[in-house]
Amino acid sequence: MAHLINRNVLLGVSGGIAAYKSAELIRQLQELGAEVRVIMTRGAQQFITPLTLQALSGNPVHTELLDSEAELGMGHIELARWADLLLIAPATADLIARLAIGRADDLLTTVALATAAPRLIAPAMNQQMWHDKACAANVERLESLGMSLVGPAVGEQACGDVGPGRMEQPAVIAASAAALFQSGLLQGKRVLISAGPTQEALDPVRYISNHSSGKMGYALARACADAGARTTLVSGPVNLEAPAKVKRVEVQSALQMLDQCVELSAESDIFIACAAVADYRPAEVQTQKIKKGAEFTSLELVRNPDIVATVSSTNPRPFTVGFAAETNDVVQYARGKMQRKGLDMIVANDVSKQDIGFNSDENAVTVVWPDGEHSLAQSSKLNIARQVVELIAGQIKPES
Ligand code: PMT
């Protein structure tokens, strides 16, 4: 799995209650092999002392921009150059706002501007603040500036509220930091991903569909693009922007998705079938709106073709990864599906739980391949996607 051996991580800690978790985060980063140095804002020092983080990191903690003593040691430019990664955890709403407009009014924001290293931000704030439009715009701006985000997690907050805004767990943040350095994993590969639901028309205004939001498939597309792959998404109707550097082909029905996937998979090294394809479609699509009439009526349905099985039976074929949405005996059923559909790997997804699977921000899965399996603990869909990419990269044969 991903590691941080020989990596210099500059950890920026800003002033929120989650600052106490930075002590554990330092340990997690070190366990993955990182050398850690810490910058604390004034606010952060109200929550945890520099001495604690100095003792844990084994390095002096940096707090001041305009301090001639500090600048004689490792000044802000040296710190910015030393970092292989600037990780800011927790990042408060205020810090995010200052980063979004490029302020350089303390050591942390100055180093954030001065570094060429990737910047990974772990937001932490009250859920109402997280939902606020100004904050959301600032977060979007950070992403458009090329910064990566991990979290926030959803749950009970220190203030008693429940919702998104908690800082992500230190182990998850450390794993995301490590995953950023796996970026060459799919370099030169062409990846095709199906995502979202399909809509099967009944008449001009009605259709049969499901609750897939596309979030998992889009997270996979982003993770594949970040890993260097030329990535194409065949997407059912969803409410999401295509990730940067990802080509999107929009479809509605399973038959349209089949056509696009079969055609595009001929030029792909890897196919990941994450879409929730409708298993059945109406036998006939009425050209006029169906009128209300009898008390009871029935609908004749026909089976849709199986897209992933069709792609996996082509010759030559891409390395083919399916998803299995199950509500019980998840891994056992997934393994059966992998064999029946002729797949190289399958991602077993327990969709019986409300907070993971369909239309949620997080997921927890077990990735299964013929002679192995690996469980990924509950985390954001992007984190799960990054780990799935690593597992795929570990399984693809040189000729795939
Ligand atoms: O979109 P989100 O809200 O983020 O939710 C993500 C998800 C829950 C939809 C996703 O993680 C997931 O589990 N996707 C697969 C859903 C599904 O249809 O599972 P299945 O067990 O019915 O199908 C097994 C596999 O066959 C899947 O790879 C599916 O894409 C594929 N399939 C199914 C039917 C069909 N006609 N053609 C197919 O290719």
Side-chain angles (χ1 to χ4, degrees):
M1 295 300 280
H3 58 75
L4 288 165
I5 296 165
N6 294 332
R7 298 289 182 188
N8 292 338
V9 177
L10 186 55
L11 173 63
V13 183
S14 66
I17 182 66
Y20 80 92
K21 288 191 192 168
S22 51
E24 174 59 18
L25 179 55
I26 290 171
R27 279 198 191 288
Q28 296 280 347
L29 292 166
Q30 288 169 333
E31 269 174 31
L32 292 178
E35 171 77 12
V36 183
R37 284 181 175 270
V38 181
I39 295 178
M40 298 178 79
T41 64
R42 290 226 171 111
Q45 295 166 59
Q46 306 288 316
F47 291 92
I48 185 167
T49 65
L51 197 58
T52 306
L53 300 191
Q54 176 173 314
L56 289 168
S57 67
N59 284 309
V61 167
H62 306 266
T63 55
E64 297 300 327
L65 175 60
L66 303 174
D67 178 339
S68 49
E69 281 287 300
E71 287 289 308
L72 276 177
M74 200 182 234
H76 66 282
I77 296 297
E78 280 95 337
L79 267 178
R81 287 185 184 144
W82 174 85
D84 293 315
L85 170 70
L86 174 63
L87 165 61
I88 304 184
T92 59
D94 175 64
L95 191 86
I96 287 171
R98 288 191 287 134
L99 291 173
I101 54 170
R103 291 290 297 261
D105 51 359
D106 65 4
L107 180 61
L108 182 51
T109 50
T110 305
V111 169
L113 285 183
T115 190
R119 294 162 295 180
L120 178 62
I121 314 292
M125 67 194 73
N126 165 269
Q127 56 85 26
Q128 190 61 45
M129 292 168 77
W130 176 253
H131 282 128
D132 185 85
K133 283 191 181 141
C135 187
N138 287 335
V139 169
E140 216 178 299
R141 170 99 181 119
L142 295 195
E143 287 186 300
S144 74
L145 291 171
M147 299 188 207
S148 300
L149 255 78
V150 49
V154 180
E156 198 171 329
Q157 305 201 291
C159 55
D161 280 8
V162 177
R166 280 164 58 124
M167 188 172 93
E168 194 45 283
Q169 290 306 316
V172 173
I173 297 175
S176 290
L180 284 181
F181 293 102
Q182 301 295 301
S183 57
L185 275 181
L186 296 180
Q187 200 65 46
K189 298 285 179 203
R190 298 158 305 171
V191 180
L192 177 67
I193 299 167
S194 73
T198 62
Q199 291 179 352
E200 309 300 326
L202 277 162
D203 68 13
V205 294
R206 302 185 181 93
Y207 55 80
I208 300 172
S209 191
N210 58 63
H211 291 293
S212 169
S213 61
K215 287 178 189 171
M216 189 66 238
Y218 277 56
L220 279 163
R222 176 164 170 198
C224 288
D226 287 350
R230 260 191 286 147
T231 309
T232 304
L233 257 177
V234 176
S235 174
V238 297
N239 215 356
L240 299 171
E241 295 286 324
K245 294 181 278 169
V246 171
K247 181 179 162 202
R248 173 166 62 178
V249 177
E250 293 178 40
V251 295
Q252 279 195 313
S253 67
L255 292 180
Q256 290 170 353
M257 188 173 271
L258 174 78
D259 285 349
Q260 292 297 333
C261 287
V262 168
E263 188 183 326
L264 294 165
S265 65
E267 303 156 0
S268 303
D269 303 300
I270 299 167
F271 174 47
I272 309 175
C274 184
V277 184
D279 287 321
Y280 291 89
R281 68 181 185 279
E284 267 183 71
V285 183
Q286 303 299 323
T287 51
Q288 304 293 334
K289 185 181 167 207
I290 302 166
K291 294 281 177 227
K292 194 161 39 182
E295 194 66 27
F296 296 98
T297 184
S298 60
L299 195 60
E300 199 186 339
L301 299 173
V302 290
R303 271 280 285 274
N304 269 327
D306 194 299
I307 300 170
V308 73
T310 307
V311 169
S312 87
S313 65
T314 57
N315 187 12
R317 63 194 278 284
F319 182 89
T320 307
V321 182
F323 267 69
E326 306 289 352
T327 52
N328 59 297
D329 301 316
V330 175
V331 173
Q332 190 190 332
Y333 281 126
R335 210 171 259 288
K337 263 184 196 168
M338 178 174 72
Q339 283 156 3
R340 276 197 311 283
K341 297 188 186 216
L343 311 179
D344 300 292
M345 185 180 260
I346 197 158
V347 181
N349 206 160
D350 184 345
V351 291
S352 66
K353 299 181 186 152
Q354 285 279 307
D355 55 343
I356 59 171
F358 280 94
N359 200 16
S360 58
D361 290 327
E362 300 198 337
N363 214 349
V365 300
T366 300
V367 182
V368 177
W369 57 96
D371 56 358
E373 63 185 58
H374 189 86
S375 293
L376 304 177
Q378 184 164 344
S379 177
S380 71
K381 284 185 171 168
L382 184 57
N383 272 323
I384 295 287
R386 289 203 167 118
Q387 294 173 77
V388 169
V389 164
E390 270 184 57
L391 291 167
I392 292 174
Q395 289 296 310
I396 44 178
K397 315 255 176 325
E399 68 275 14
S400 314

